[in-house]
Amino acid sequence: MSRSIQIFIIMLTAVLTAGCVGEVEMSVGDATETDFPSGSVPGKVGDRTNPDTPETQLPPAFELIQETPQLLPFHVRMAKLSRVTGLAQDDPVFDEIWRNRYALGDHNYGQGIGPDLTWSASKMATWVKSIRPVCTSAEMQQTYPSLPEDLNALTMVAYGREVEEADLMIVEDTLAETGTGEAERYEAVCLSILSSLEFVGR
Amino acid sequence: MKRTLLAIALLALMGCQGKGELAMVGQSDPEPEPSTDTQDTQNSDTPTTTPEPTTIPEPQEGIQLPVSIEPPEMTGDETVFYLRRISQMLVGRTLTMEEVSQATAEGDEALRPILESWVAEAGFSTSIRYMLEQKLKASGERDGIDFDAPGRLVEHTVSNQLPMSTILKADYCIGTDGQQGDCDSGAPYNAGVLTTRAFLAGNASRFNLGRASRMMKVFACRAYPMEDDLQPRLEKESLIEMFRAQSAEEQTVEEAKDAFGNGDACYTCHGQFSAHAQFYVKFNENGQWIDEATGIQDPEGELGRSLNGLMTSHMLNDVAKADEGSDMFGKRANNLGEAAAIIADSDVFVPCMVRNVIEHTFGMTDSAGEEIDRTLLEAVAYRATNAGTTEPTMGTVVVETFIDPRVVAVVLETQNGGAQ
């Protein structure tokens, strides 16, 4: 269990420290039905198709500030697990998760329980424990017969992208501290992907 | 394109000069305590400053918003980044590899078709249901009250691509079998989610302040006091004495004398609260409609509580106390059903839902949502309603929101290492 959390923390760190690259140039689309006044207007937006266009930013419409990672709402995490496995959410494979739903941040206002999307080590420990039946299920192994060999297929559904170097490094670290048994290695890789911040958080 | 830019710039300028900014409450929502102090009635634990009584800015003569726009120019990578950022909260999943390929190849041209396909997915209905369950504080079950009822109506509205106003106007509820049926309050009319026992019981409080506050917060993005020309105050003389005071010196009711903590007058907020709380005078604390409700103060009970689990009216006259008709946004409504329809048809409803969607998608707090430029919300609403001529679906609102260049710009800024 502690190993799984350790994996998660490694992945969390990796995600948070991932470099952001790329430039942003904004322009806006054409109006198709407009009747605008003529005259000069303060504020301009750059048009990258025309390098001569002067560029000035409009004020941002709002700010996105997230100081700490947040978990996805419980229903989103469930939907993603369902998608990864191809199983309906009421499949017995998910029973343990449903049993722990409120510990995992689900809400029930009738009972006075609001959603709790804060990430914590204890919550992630409960998550890892709850998804073990998913990782050991026949359906999972049918869809992804061998891990890490089928890692790319898993990340394409779990992350919506192909496997990257960083993923491979994390898996490598995970396997370095895992036994040599095939089932054990499979479960370790599965847990590391399905408990990563990229999978459970935003 | 230039004309769009001109319009947006002008709108931004109008917003700087406009009055009647959205006055919103804080993120957490304890039950509001009845008080003559305006701060205490905001359904918030975060004090907000009382805005000046204001008016809704009128569009300047000759200026029209675009009723249709295209997304901003984006590279394939930018489009993928943008879609990744919003997909999980909008449709409950990551991008498919087909979507990644399409966005990579087509860039911004892929944005609208992908968004339009998303809003037809079941995951989208679930997402909007979740959003409004959080806003309404309604889910689950307790004491035989079906707290999932509002969520089911929302999901039904979205999945069937019904006008978004159905959430407030539906004259039916959705049962656990997914079929239309009677609602559970027992009222002889319905007002969408507002006449579910879940909403009514979950937001019950003295003087019906909690119900009025929640209704305004979720569907108008307003707190009390709001703009005078949105909600005119009821005549001071029509209210019970404790709510008439405009200064501490004017307060003659002993229980209310200490309620000037923020220096504001009772009447400033309760002149408006009174109008909206009155619609709930026949609903008891369990959300059941009681025809015999009187709205009178229980002489033996806590201030703000009437008899038999009902809440006290703000009104002075005994006939008026028992009348569930009142004023909503300057129009007479004979009951909560008619009041809800007025909200849904008002100019504040769609912009407020745009704001709700943005807050939901990006996990923003209420206070962060308060800072969303109102000109953005109004521009999106204008397009979504086809210049005010149609009642939009939630899907239309979401598509118009997330193709907006200003929304895209905020998200792409985070790709560049800006705020996350």
Side-chain angles (χ1 to χ4, degrees), chain B residues 120-135:
Chain B
E121 290 186 19
F124 176 66
S125 309
T126 306
S127 173
I128 299 302
R129 172 179 179 160
Y130 173 84
M131 174 185 90
L132 280 169
E133 283 181 343
Q134 308 316 307
K135 296 283 181 188

Side-chain angles (χ1 to χ4, degrees), chain A residues 3 6 8 22 34 38 40 44 68 72 83 95 100 105 113 128 134 137 146 157 160 170 173-174 191 194-195:
Chain A
R3 176 63 197 152
Q6 193 179 358
F8 177 82
T34 57
S38 59
S40 62
K44 297 157 281 185
T68 55
L72 289 164
R83 203 172 172 85
D95 283 355
N100 293 322
I113 303 168
V128 170
V134 176
S137 68
S146 180
V157 183
I170 290 166
D173 287 346
T174 302
L191 289 175
L194 300 186
S195 61

Side-chain angles (χ1 to χ4, degrees), chain B residues 172-206:
Chain B
Y172 55 84
C173 283
I174 302 297
T176 52
D177 59 358
Q179 300 301 308
Q180 292 185 17
D182 293 335
C183 297
D184 56 1
S185 73
Y189 55 83
N190 284 305
V193 297
L194 298 183
T195 41
T196 59
R197 290 183 67 192
F199 174 82
L200 292 160
N203 293 288
S205 66
R206 292 179 286 157

Side-chain angles (χ1 to χ4, degrees), chain B residues 34-92:
Chain B
S35 165
T36 51
D37 181 320
T38 54
Q39 292 295 336
D40 287 348
T41 58
Q42 299 300 304
N43 204 20
S44 169
D45 59 355
T46 306
T48 56
T49 54
T50 302
E52 292 293 317
T54 53
T55 57
I56 301 172
E58 295 293 329
Q60 291 179 15
E61 194 69 28
I63 295 179
Q64 291 184 14
L65 299 169
V67 295
S68 175
I69 63 169
E70 293 304 316
E73 293 175 22
M74 289 191 284
T75 66
D77 285 349
E78 287 171 344
T79 308
V80 171
F81 177 86
Y82 181 69
L83 289 169
R84 277 195 209 287
R85 188 72 168 82
I86 62 177
S87 68
Q88 299 193 92
M89 290 303 289
L90 286 180
V91 282

